[in-house]
């Protein structure tokens, strides 16, 4: 019997092959989208679960800027009774040279308490490596990867940043790379900590009796009473330090990702923010819902079209169970085929998916998990469809015996199906359009500095720096260049706490050396006052955010005191600078000519090149530097526009995915409407023929159908636009630079969908209305 039902199912799928193909493709895409998104979410939520005490590990960070004051870990260890152990960590990436070969590695700066907190063992070598400058430990995995079976203890390597020779003095165990704080090499701190500097995070392991939620709440209002101290560059004194937050270590990845502060994440895993992954998963659910609803409606259409077949099978002895088994076999078969096609889509997307997510699981493991997610959705959809199919199967039998009166319920169901599908489609289009507009706003709005046709060349070796400087003038692609500090991409930052003259208020400013030529190079826009000139002493230009925090009516002439003997008089105010990303607020900046004689930014060349010459320029610069004795390993060249696009790469990826999903959703909805019209025409062909005999024009017949479906479209728009606006308004407000939602966006989307629906209706009704009336009336 099962084989017989399968054969019948294939016959029906061939008979309605266009409808079946669209249903299979839409469901397959939905399965793939949802399954990969759920796999992605699970991967993101299982970071750091491999630790024995994973549920007791918490990361303490600063709400603004994330990194904490350097001595915080020691303070928490002494003042938190619920903390079993606290350690300071500074994770990051580096490039090292081993036997002339570059290696991109994760590194960790810490102290001995980190080894105890995380249960890391010293496998061989010096257990006190963390106490000595230029001594490093490597993990067993990294040692095996680089040196094979050779003992790495005593081996040396160099850092490309400072060309220093470093020695491996220990080998330690590791906890893998599926973690928020990965490391290949580890080393200790060799300088004195002070409360005026911020660096890294505080990692806390609670004791077994501690309440994690209570600890998180406590840190939210925790105030550090900083002891009186004196800083070389700042004013000494006691102050309170607050604004801290804590999360379980496994969730710290989401904090980093959603904040845009992905410096401790690899480039492959920092692309898409966690909140965007959830949006992708939601899009997959809605796509599956739309596909299932569309196919269910089409399937019910077939039941009504085949009502005579169903009644005849009952007359010839088929039980209700036999008929339901036949119908459900066809329904389930299509879902199984869609699941198989979904796995094919996953196979095609897998290389891209791995590159975006960083998931290194084996292929069979990924397929196993995605198949489970898809199967769950398929089973749930099937179960929910059982009562609907059974109900309308009975209605179909009544239709054969009682006439058309029992179809009222089914027509309402079809209308509801159209409204739901069109609501989802309009919502997808609206959200995708808003995303595109917001991204275009971000990409083409000046973040406070120019970045188009600009690059930053950083030469680490001093000899290369001196020899190379004069060669820039000989490159025709270069429009102009400037040696100094890079506003973007940022290469570190010096900042000070400054006192506002005449008040007790203090503000923190990032300090940048740059006179008027610097301002003109970056196109910094003065709001008031003037820019500092060469030779101006103790003068400064500040950004609007600094003025706002100072809370002074007339900033020009205000004194900012760095110490008792050192300070700056504000002579100008410039627009804010957004270098960290479009969703982060502007930080305070102070531009000056003198900073205790410091000339940081040494070896940085800010380059403006002629439009369209980047490829040739980058090739020339790379070739020139590789020909120097040490330059091939001691420089970096970055395109400012490409680097800025990396900041919004999560939004760009989301836009691509949502655009594809929107197109699929529109096609599903349009085909659903087309199938409804086809059924209406099939069931009302005699009525249409009779109306034509009595003088009705084709335009009148067409108007009847268009009016009905445009009314459903209008209802869908009334539902979709407010929901879409409510979803997208908070999404836009997370960005500092925001797009507007003009009225023509709503009207344009409605008119576009109206046009597509009208064309879809017109083609099918026109074909039916032009059929020969006598033939239609004579049909059984």
């Amino acid at each position: 019997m099962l084989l017989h039902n399968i054969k019948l199912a294939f016959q029906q799928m061939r008979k309605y092959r266009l409808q079946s193909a669209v249903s299979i493709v839409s469901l397959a895409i939905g399965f793939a989208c949802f399954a990969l998104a759920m796999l992605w979410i699970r991967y993101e939520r299982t970071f750091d679960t491999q630790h024995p005490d994973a549920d007791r590990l918490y990361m303490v960070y600063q709400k603004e800027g994330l990194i904490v004051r350097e001595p915080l870990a020691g303070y928490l260890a002494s003042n938190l009774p619920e903390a079993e152990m606290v350690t300071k960590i500074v994770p990051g990436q580096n490039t090292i040279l081993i036997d002339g070969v570059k290696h991109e590695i994760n590194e960790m700066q810490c102290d001995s308490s980190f080894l105890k907190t995380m249960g890391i063992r010293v496998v061989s070598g010096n257990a006190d490596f963390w106490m000595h400058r230029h001594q490093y430990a490597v993990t067993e995995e990294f040692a095996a990867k680089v040196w094979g079976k050779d003992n790495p203890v005593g081996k040396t390597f160099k850092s490309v940043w400072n060309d220093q020779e470093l020695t491996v003095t220990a080998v330690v165990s590791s906890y893998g790379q599926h973690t928020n704080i990965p490391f290949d090499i580890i080393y200790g701190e060799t300088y004195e900590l002070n409360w005026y500097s911020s660096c890294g995070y505080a990692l806390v392991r609670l004791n077994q009796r501690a309440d994690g939620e209570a600890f998180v709440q406590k840190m939210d209002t925790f105030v550090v009473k900083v002891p009186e101290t004196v800083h070389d560059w700042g004013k000494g004194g006691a102050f309170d330090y607050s604004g801290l937050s804590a999360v379980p270590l496994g969730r710290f990845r989401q904090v980093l990702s959603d904040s845009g502060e992905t410096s401790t994440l690899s480039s492959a895993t920092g692309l898409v923010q966690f909140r965007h992954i959830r949006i992708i998963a939601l899009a997959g659910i809605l796509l599956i819902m739309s596909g299932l609803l569309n196919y269910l409606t089409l399937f019910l259409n077939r039941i009504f079209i085949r009502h005579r077949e169903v009644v005849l099978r009952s007359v010839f002895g088929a039980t209700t169970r036999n008929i339901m088994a036949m119908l459900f076999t066809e329904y389930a078969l299509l879902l199984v085929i869609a699941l198989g096609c979904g796995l094919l889509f996953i196979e095609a997307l897998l290389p891209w998916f791995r590159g975006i997510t960083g998931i290194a699981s084996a292929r069979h493991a990924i397929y196993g998990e995605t198949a489970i997610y898809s199967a769950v959705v398929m089973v749930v959809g099937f179960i929910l469809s059982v009562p609907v199919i059974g109900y309308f199967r009975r209605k179909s039998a009544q239709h054969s015996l009682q006439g058309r009166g029992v179809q009222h319920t089914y027509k309402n169901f079809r209308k509801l199906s159209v409204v739901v599908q069109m609501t989802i489609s309009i919502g997808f289009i609206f959200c995708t359009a808003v995303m595109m507009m917001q991204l275009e706003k971000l990409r083409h709005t000046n973040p406070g500095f120019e970045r188009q046709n600009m690059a930053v060349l950083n030469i680490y070796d001093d000899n290369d720096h001196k020899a190379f400087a004069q060669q820039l003038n000989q490159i025709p692609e270069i429009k102009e260049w400037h040696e100094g500090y890079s506003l973007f991409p940022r290469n570190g930052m010096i900042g000070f706490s400054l006192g506002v003259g005449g008040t007790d208020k203090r503000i923190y400013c990032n300090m940048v050396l740059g006179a008027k030529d610097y301002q003109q190079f970056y196109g910094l826009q003065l709001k008031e006052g003037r820019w500092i000139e060469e030779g101006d002493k103790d003068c400064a230009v500040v950004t609007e955010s600094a003025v706002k925090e100072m809370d002074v009516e007339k900033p020009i002439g205000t004194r900012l005191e760095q110490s008792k003997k050192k300070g700056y008089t504000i002579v100008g105010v410039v627009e804010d600078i957004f270098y960290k990303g479009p969703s982060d607020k502007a930080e305070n900046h102070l531009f000056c000519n003198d900073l205790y004689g410091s000339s940081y930014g040494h070896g940085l060349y800010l380059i403006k090149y002629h439009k369209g010459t980047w490829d040739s320029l980058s090739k020339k610069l790379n070739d020139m530097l590789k020909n120097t004795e040490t330059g091939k390993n001691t420089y970096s060249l970055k395109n400012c526009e490409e680097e800025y696009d990396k900041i919004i790469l999560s939004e760009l990826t989301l836009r691509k995915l949502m655009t594809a999903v929107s197109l699929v959703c529109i096609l599903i909805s349009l085909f659903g409407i087309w199938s409804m019209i086809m059924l209406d025409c099939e069931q009302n062909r005699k009525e249409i023929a009779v109306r034509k005999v009595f003088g009705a024009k084709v335009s009148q017949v067409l108007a009847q159908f268009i009016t009905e479906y445009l009314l459903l479209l209008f209802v869908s728009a009334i539902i979709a636009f407010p929901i879409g606006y409510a979803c997208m308004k908070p999404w836009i407000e997370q960005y500092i630079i925001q797009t507007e939602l003009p009225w023509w966006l709503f009207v344009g989307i409605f008119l576009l969908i109206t046009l597509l629906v009208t064309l879809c209706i017109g083609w099918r009704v026109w074909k039916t209305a032009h059929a020969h009336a006598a033939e239609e009336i004579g049909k059984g």
Side-chain angles (χ1 to χ4, degrees):
M1 180 60 72
L2 178 60
L3 290 177
H4 177 70
N5 288 337
I6 292 175
K7 289 180 181 179
L8 290 177
F10 274 114
Q11 290 176 0
Q12 290 297 317
M13 291 174 64
R14 284 197 300 269
K15 183 177 180 180
Y16 300 98
R17 51 185 172 272
L18 180 58
Q19 296 95 321
S20 299
V22 172
S23 298
I24 289 172
V25 171
S26 62
L27 288 172
I29 294 175
F31 284 146
C33 181
F34 175 74
L36 289 177
M38 292 304 297
L39 176 64
W40 197 347
I41 289 175
R42 181 180 178 278
Y43 174 78
E44 294 287 335
R45 288 189 176 277
T46 55
F47 271 70
D48 289 298
T49 56
Q50 70 271 31
H51 305 297
D53 299 317
D55 60 331
R56 294 196 283 142
L57 295 174
Y58 285 78
M59 189 73 84
V60 177
Y61 61 95
Q62 192 169 302
K63 296 174 184 177
E64 298 291 338
L66 296 184
I67 59 176
V68 299
R69 301 296 178 99
E70 289 179 344
L72 178 66
Y75 183 92
L76 296 180
S78 302
N79 292 274
L80 289 180
E82 62 267 54
E84 182 177 274
M85 196 167 294
V86 185
T87 181
K88 177 199 170 185
I89 59 172
V90 186
Q93 285 86 43
N94 200 351
T95 303
I96 62 175
L97 288 172
I98 301 177
D99 298 329
V101 179
K102 280 186 177 182
H103 295 270
E104 303 293 334
I105 54 96
N106 294 305
E107 64 180 11
M108 182 75 71
Q109 183 187 71
C110 62
D111 55 30
S112 62
S113 60
F114 175 71
L115 306 183
K116 297 177 182 178
T117 301
M118 304 303 290
I120 297 172
R121 297 175 293 104
V122 177
V123 178
S124 63
N126 179 15
D128 294 334
F129 68 90
W130 55 273
M131 297 177 60
H132 303 284
R133 191 175 181 85
H134 306 321
Q135 292 190 11
Y136 282 66
V138 298
T139 64
E140 294 175 289
E141 291 81 357
F142 184 74
K145 176 183 175 182
V146 176
W147 292 288
K149 296 182 179 180
D150 292 345
N151 185 3
V153 176
K155 302 287 186 180
T156 61
F157 60 90
K158 287 186 177 182
S159 170
V160 300
W161 308 116
N162 52 25
D163 203 36
Q164 290 182 341
E165 187 169 279
L166 309 170
T167 304
V168 177
T169 60
V171 178
V172 298
S173 62
S174 73
Y175 40 71
Q177 296 297 311
H178 193 50
T179 173
N180 288 293
I181 44 177
F183 69 94
D184 300 302
I185 65 174
I186 190 171
Y187 61 100
E189 296 176 328
T190 56
Y191 55 87
E192 184 178 354
L193 305 180
N194 63 81
W195 285 101
Y196 284 88
S197 298
S198 297
C199 188
Y201 316 100
L203 180 61
V204 179
R205 186 172 74 183
L206 301 178
N207 58 51
Q208 295 182 351
R209 298 183 301 275
D211 184 340
E213 293 185 5
F215 172 71
V216 170
Q217 295 175 3
K218 179 177 181 178
M219 293 310 302
D220 195 51
T221 57
F222 193 76
V223 178
V224 176
K225 298 294 183 180
V226 176
E228 184 171 348
T229 184
V230 178
H231 189 275
D232 291 340
W233 289 341
K235 180 180 178 181
F239 64 94
D240 291 344
Y241 174 38
S242 59
L244 299 172
S245 188
V247 294
L249 178 59
R251 287 179 51 196
F252 187 58
R253 179 179 180 81
Q254 300 169 32
V255 175
L256 289 171
S257 178
D258 288 347
S259 70
E261 292 284 349
T262 56
S263 58
T264 61
L265 303 178
S266 69
S267 59
T269 57
L271 297 182
V272 181
Q273 297 177 8
F274 190 75
R275 60 175 178 265
H276 293 165
I277 301 174
R278 291 194 292 262
I279 293 176
I280 295 170
L282 177 60
I285 294 174
L286 292 176
L287 190 59
I288 292 173
M289 181 190 302
S290 182
L292 283 174
L293 187 59
N294 179 60
Y295 178 64
L296 180 59
T297 306
L298 294 175
F299 190 72
L300 297 177
N301 288 350
R302 295 185 201 174
I303 293 177
F304 269 80
I305 293 174
R306 298 165 59 190
H307 62 276
R308 292 186 178 180
E309 174 192 347
V310 172
V311 172
L312 286 174
R313 287 181 178 274
S314 299
V315 171
F316 285 100
T319 64
T320 299
R321 181 178 179 181
N322 296 142
I323 295 174
M324 292 296 290
M326 177 190 70
L327 295 176
F328 284 133
T329 300
E330 181 182 341
Y331 185 72
L333 182 63
L334 186 136
L335 293 179
V336 171
I337 294 174
L339 177 58
C341 292
L343 294 177
L344 294 178
F345 282 128
I346 292 173
E347 172 67 22
L349 294 172
L350 199 54
W352 169 84
F353 179 73
R354 278 179 162 170
I356 289 291
T357 63
I359 296 177
S361 303
R363 188 180 298 266
H364 68 273
I366 294 177
Y367 281 146
E369 288 198 47
T370 53
I372 291 173
Y373 288 130
S374 299
V376 168
V377 174
M378 184 182 72
V379 171
V380 171
F382 183 82
I383 292 174
L384 294 177
S385 302
V386 168
V388 179
I389 293 174
Y391 174 79
F392 284 109
R393 202 279 304 175
R394 294 191 298 273
K395 288 292 184 181
S396 175
Q398 295 177 28
H399 168 64
S400 297
L401 299 173
Q402 302 175 12
R404 297 178 179 269
V406 297
Q407 292 192 76
H408 179 73
T409 302
Y410 176 63
K411 286 185 177 181
N412 289 336
F413 174 81
R414 284 194 299 158
K415 291 179 181 179
L416 178 62
S417 174
V418 171
V419 169
V420 172
Q421 292 181 67
M422 292 307 302
T423 299
I424 294 175
S425 295
I426 294 173
F428 267 122
I429 296 173
F430 176 78
C431 293
T432 304
V434 172
M435 288 180 188
M436 290 182 176
M437 293 174 62
Q438 177 62 37
L439 287 173
E440 289 303 307
K441 184 78 171 180
L442 296 177
R443 298 188 69 182
H444 296 97
T445 299
N446 190 347
F449 56 88
E450 291 184 10
R451 66 183 188 278
Q452 285 79 16
N453 303 319
M454 295 181 66
V456 175
L457 174 64
N458 191 358
I459 301 179
Y460 313 127
D461 186 82
D462 191 58
N463 293 325
D464 292 337
H465 155 63
K466 293 178 180 178
F468 186 73
Q470 299 303 319
Q471 300 183 50
L472 292 177
N473 294 323
Q474 309 302 319
I475 302 177
E477 287 86 353
I478 295 180
K479 188 176 181 180
E480 62 175 302
W481 63 274
H482 181 88
E483 185 177 8
Y485 186 72
S486 171
L487 276 182
F488 183 86
R490 197 61 63 93
N491 290 283
M493 174 66 69
I494 294 178
F496 295 112
S497 176
L498 304 172
V500 181
T503 69
D504 295 331
K505 185 179 289 293
R506 300 187 66 85
I507 66 170
Y508 184 87
C509 283
N510 298 311
M511 313 293 283
V512 183
L513 293 173
K516 194 168 185 177
D517 57 343
Y518 187 89
Q519 177 245 339
Q520 293 172 343
F521 181 86
Y522 270 111
L524 303 176
Q525 299 298 311
L526 274 170
K527 299 293 289 185
E528 58 179 305
R530 66 174 180 87
W531 195 267
I532 51 178
E533 304 284 349
E534 291 286 353
D536 280 346
K537 291 185 177 181
D538 298 334
C539 293
V541 173
V542 298
T543 52
E544 292 177 287
S545 60
V547 174
K548 184 177 180 181
E549 190 172 339
M550 288 162 54
D551 193 24
V552 294
E553 294 183 5
K554 296 180 179 180
I556 304 300
T558 300
R559 186 76 173 170
L560 293 176
E561 298 175 351
Q562 188 172 338
S563 67
K564 292 181 179 180
K565 298 181 179 180
K566 180 67 176 176
Y568 302 95
T569 301
I570 298 176
V571 298
V573 179
V574 294
E575 291 182 352
D576 284 332
I577 297 171
F578 303 94
Y579 75 93
K580 292 175 64 177
S583 59
D584 288 339
K585 71 177 186 179
E587 293 188 358
N588 301 335
H589 289 74
L590 182 146
F591 300 87
C592 59
N593 278 331
D594 54 319
L595 185 64
Y596 286 102
S598 173
S599 60
Y600 72 101
H602 179 70
L604 279 169
Y605 295 92
L606 318 176
I607 299 172
K608 277 188 180 180
Y609 57 87
H610 294 285
K611 185 177 181 180
T613 62
W614 169 245
D615 291 339
S616 60
L617 172 62
S618 59
K619 185 178 185 304
K620 287 183 179 180
L621 291 175
N622 283 310
D623 290 343
M624 291 173 62
L625 282 163
K626 286 178 180 178
N627 290 331
T628 62
E629 183 177 352
T630 59
K632 61 183 178 180
N633 296 317
T634 59
Y635 77 94
S636 67
L637 178 63
K638 295 182 179 180
N639 182 291
C640 295
E641 203 157 3
E642 292 176 357
E643 293 299 314
Y644 192 79
D645 281 347
K646 290 179 181 179
I647 295 177
I648 59 174
L649 193 53
S650 179
E651 283 82 3
L652 293 173
T653 303
L654 178 65
R655 183 181 71 170
K656 292 178 182 178
L657 293 173
M658 291 298 292
T659 299
V661 171
S662 296
L663 292 175
V664 173
C665 197
I666 291 171
L667 292 176
I668 293 173
S669 298
L670 290 177
F671 186 77
I673 292 176
W674 180 81
S675 64
M676 304 297 180
I677 295 296
M678 183 180 66
L679 179 63
D680 272 356
C681 292
E682 176 69 21
Q683 293 181 333
N684 296 295
R685 65 182 189 274
K686 288 187 177 181
E687 177 185 341
I688 294 173
V690 171
R691 292 184 63 188
K692 287 178 62 181
V693 169
F694 284 94
K697 297 180 180 180
V698 174
S699 59
Q700 293 174 321
V701 177
L702 188 61
Q704 176 186 353
F705 283 89
I706 290 179
T707 301
E708 178 182 355
Y709 282 91
L710 288 187
L711 179 60
L712 297 178
L713 175 60
F714 181 77
V715 173
S716 301
I718 292 296
I719 299 172
F721 282 133
I723 295 177
Y725 181 86
C727 293
M728 297 310 297
K729 189 63 176 175
W731 186 79
I732 293 175
E733 289 175 347
Q734 69 182 314
Y735 299 100
I736 303 299
I737 304 170
Q738 301 175 7
T739 188
E740 300 293 333
L741 296 181
W743 62 268
W744 54 260
L745 176 64
F746 300 89
V747 176
I749 293 175
F750 182 78
L751 292 179
L752 173 63
I753 300 298
T754 299
L755 176 62
L756 295 175
V757 171
T758 302
L759 292 175
C760 184
I761 294 173
W763 176 81
R764 193 67 187 92
V765 175
W766 186 273
K767 182 177 179 181
T768 303
H770 276 79
H772 197 280
E775 293 180 359
E776 293 296 328
I777 295 174
K779 287 181 180 180

